[in-house]
Amino acid sequence: VVTAHLEADQPFATATILSGAEAGLKLLLDENGVQYVSPGLAPALIESLTAHGHAGLRERGSYQVDGVFVDVYRPRPRLIIVGGAHAAVALAQMAALVGFSVALVDPRQAFATAARFPQADVISHEYPDKALPKLGLTAETYIAILTHDPKIDDPALRVALPSPVPYVGVLSGKRTHEARLERLTAAGVPPELLQRIRTPIGLKIGAQTPEEIALCILAEIVAVRNLREADIQLTR
Amino acid sequence: VVTAHLEADQPFATATILSGAEAGLKLLLDENGVQYVSPGLAPALIESLTAHGHAGLRERGSYQVDGVFVDVYRPRPRLIIVGGAHAAVALAQMAALVGFSVALVDPRQAFATAARFPQADVISHEYPDKALPKLGLTAETYIAILTHDPKIDDPALRVALPSPVPYVGVLSGKRTHEARLERLTAAGVPPELLQRIRTPIGLKIGAQTPEEIALCILAEIVAVRNLREADIQLTR
């Protein structure tokens, strides 16, 4: 069961009893529920281990609590950058350093080159509405949209917003964003999806240079990955 | 005057009148006040340009406002990292990327090597109370203290806190910090200086890995550099 989950590269947790007569008995669960239970595990313990496992899915790494060992696997996160301008170069470098795999999407081939983005394991010159679904939009995918060009940014948003990705940030001024919301509304994107757009992008650090913009975006992505939503709001 | 200021590598601003009979007349000021005034500048204009210049010293780059061109020079910021463990390696890489010159101080020579810190333009194996004054503690110097060892961290704090550096962050847990405050108080550091210590270090992004810790520290440093204090508090 563990091997199958590892191969699927989806997050899962195991909760194992550490001592007593039932030491070593465990269950495994993922975001769809319990997937495996050791034979002989009493119903009350199943309930307890299930709760521990679900708590584990919100953590990273492994820990002990209440005599239970909770072991969590989360796949390597991926950052998809739409648009290969200067801030994207710095963002790719920093994100790789922090442990993200990096994919770059930009139909403007002069921007999206392997020479500019040696950290990217995928570079796509397709438009984002084609490219993003091929890359896979999972709960461990983070998307930063940076082109300032509606012909590229809008198709990215139309496929990213209805997907399970936890982060969709757009580099944009306030007035530009109002026009964007009008266009996407006219294109049929419902308000609850439009609210998922994070803009102004990034944590508030007074970012001015492309490198500082990259820094504030990556800090926001890590905050979204590690904190509960209520705590993230406080950082904006 | 400009050349002398550039050579001193201290921040300064010039404010120049853009049009009218007095176009081209200017003044230059730094943090110590007005250093140069064009001959023939009327007292009312001196007052106005002085206000513009002081406003400029809180900005970066150049801009026009009210018919005045404000040109600001700020020296390249320097990050001094005290302690060369894993988070420091990532912090040096990211800080160099964002435009900081990087200096590393660690008496433990195995940590502080050029191989681990190719971005550092200075690596010192002296204790921080010796090393930091030699590096120069200016208004554009940011200090991150990361060793967890009072024998190294405390001397760093004793020289950094009374200096003009705008940022002194210490990697530390809450209880460790209480013990540190007691030690420094016993050593005669006054409470208003102890309040300058930023700990827990870094913006709140749920940082867990060394690389994420580096990210949250650098984001905080850039916020301190670019924002007013009131706005920074909101990001914590």
Side-chain angles (χ1 to χ4, degrees):
Chain A
V1 184
V2 168
T3 310
H5 273 79
L6 279 173
E7 281 170 2
D9 208 30
Q10 294 296 318
F12 66 89
T14 59
T16 308
I17 297 171
L18 281 171
S19 58
E22 294 185 293
L25 298 185
K26 66 176 68 181
L27 60 71
L28 180 151
L29 55 74
D30 61 21
E31 285 162 349
N32 299 314
V34 175
Q35 303 296 332
Y36 170 82
V37 178
S38 294
L41 202 55
L45 282 172
I46 290 178
E47 197 176 324
S48 156
L49 292 185
T50 301
H52 281 303
H54 277 297
L57 282 183
R58 295 190 293 273
E59 304 290 334
R60 272 194 279 172
S62 304
Y63 56 94
Q64 289 184 28
V65 60
D66 300 340
V68 173
F69 179 69
V70 182
D71 195 14
V72 184
Y73 171 77
R74 289 180 71 179
R76 188 178 181 201
R78 165 173 265 178
L79 171 63
I80 303 178
I81 304 173
V82 177
H86 195 151
V89 172
L91 180 55
Q93 292 175 316
M94 286 186 212
L97 188 61
V98 172
F100 286 73
S101 71
V102 175
L104 177 72
V105 176
D106 197 331
R108 303 166 303 179
Q109 302 198 11
F111 285 102
T113 66
R116 284 167 60 81
F117 293 91
Q119 302 84 8
D121 55 332
V122 180
I123 293 178
S124 168
H125 295 135
E126 291 192 288
Y127 272 79
D129 50 340
K130 291 278 198 309
L132 296 185
K134 289 183 192 168
L135 289 170
L137 299 179
T138 74
E140 283 289 354
T141 305
Y142 301 79
I143 304 184
I145 300 173
L146 310 178
T147 75
H148 289 297
D149 180 348
K151 287 198 306 296
I152 304 173
D153 285 359
D154 284 8
L157 287 164
R158 285 202 306 271
V159 296
L161 292 175
S163 82
V165 305
Y167 180 90
V168 183
V170 183
L171 184 62
S172 154
K174 197 177 173 185
R175 245 175 290 178
T176 320
H177 188 55
E178 283 167 12
R180 172 183 299 115
L181 291 177
E182 285 174 21
R183 287 194 310 273
L184 291 173
T185 300
V189 181
E192 66 271 21
L193 290 187
L194 293 177
Q195 281 177 14
R196 302 220 306 130
I197 302 175
R198 289 186 183 264
T199 194
I201 198 170
L203 295 191
K204 182 183 173 182
I205 61 171
Q208 298 178 34
T209 66
E211 292 80 11
E212 289 176 354
I213 291 168
L215 177 69
C216 82
I217 295 171
L218 188 60
E220 183 173 58
I221 288 171
V222 171
V224 166
R225 184 156 190 253
N226 290 345
L227 300 176
R228 288 165 307 194
E229 184 65 21
D231 292 328
I232 301 162
Q233 300 294 349
L234 287 176
T235 66
R236 290 188 68 91
Chain B
V1 184
V2 168
T3 310
H5 273 80
L6 280 171
E7 280 169 2
D9 209 29
Q10 294 296 319
F12 66 89
T14 59
T16 308
I17 297 172
L18 281 172
S19 57
E22 294 184 292
L25 298 185
K26 67 178 65 182
L27 59 72
L28 181 150
L29 55 74
D30 61 21
E31 285 161 350
N32 298 315
V34 175
Q35 303 296 331
Y36 170 81
V37 178
S38 293
L41 203 56
L45 283 170
I46 291 178
E47 197 177 323
S48 156
L49 291 184
T50 301
H52 281 304
H54 277 299
L57 282 181
R58 295 190 293 274
E59 305 291 335
R60 273 194 279 171
S62 304
Y63 58 92
Q64 288 183 28
V65 60
D66 301 341
V68 174
F69 179 68
V70 182
D71 195 16
V72 185
Y73 171 77
R74 289 181 70 178
R76 189 179 181 200
R78 165 174 265 177
L79 172 63
I80 303 178
I81 305 173
V82 176
H86 195 149
V89 173
L91 180 55
Q93 294 175 315
M94 286 186 215
L97 189 60
V98 172
F100 286 74
S101 72
V102 176
L104 177 72
V105 175
D106 197 331
R108 304 166 302 179
Q109 303 198 11
F111 284 102
T113 65
R116 284 167 61 80
F117 292 91
Q119 303 82 8
D121 55 330
V122 180
I123 294 179
S124 168
H125 296 135
E126 292 192 285
Y127 272 79
D129 49 341
K130 290 277 198 310
L132 295 185
K134 288 182 193 169
L135 289 170
L137 300 179
T138 74
E140 283 289 352
T141 305
Y142 301 79
I143 303 184
I145 300 174
L146 310 178
T147 75
H148 289 296
D149 180 349
K151 287 198 303 298
I152 303 172
D153 285 359
D154 285 8
L157 287 164
R158 286 201 306 272
V159 295
L161 291 176
S163 82
V165 305
Y167 180 90
V168 183
V170 183
L171 185 62
S172 154
K174 196 177 173 181
R175 245 173 292 178
T176 320
H177 188 55
E178 283 167 12
R180 172 181 301 116
L181 291 178
E182 285 173 23
R183 286 194 311 274
L184 292 173
T185 299
V189 182
E192 66 272 19
L193 290 187
L194 294 176
Q195 281 177 14
R196 302 222 305 132
I197 302 175
R198 289 185 183 267
T199 193
I201 199 169
L203 294 191
K204 183 181 172 184
I205 60 171
Q208 297 179 35
T209 66
E211 291 79 11
E212 289 176 353
I213 291 169
L215 177 69
C216 81
I217 295 171
L218 188 59
E220 184 173 58
I221 288 171
V222 171
V224 166
R225 184 155 190 256
N226 290 343
L227 301 176
R228 287 165 307 193
E229 183 65 21
D231 292 329
I232 302 161
Q233 299 293 349
L234 288 175
T235 66
R236 290 186 69 92

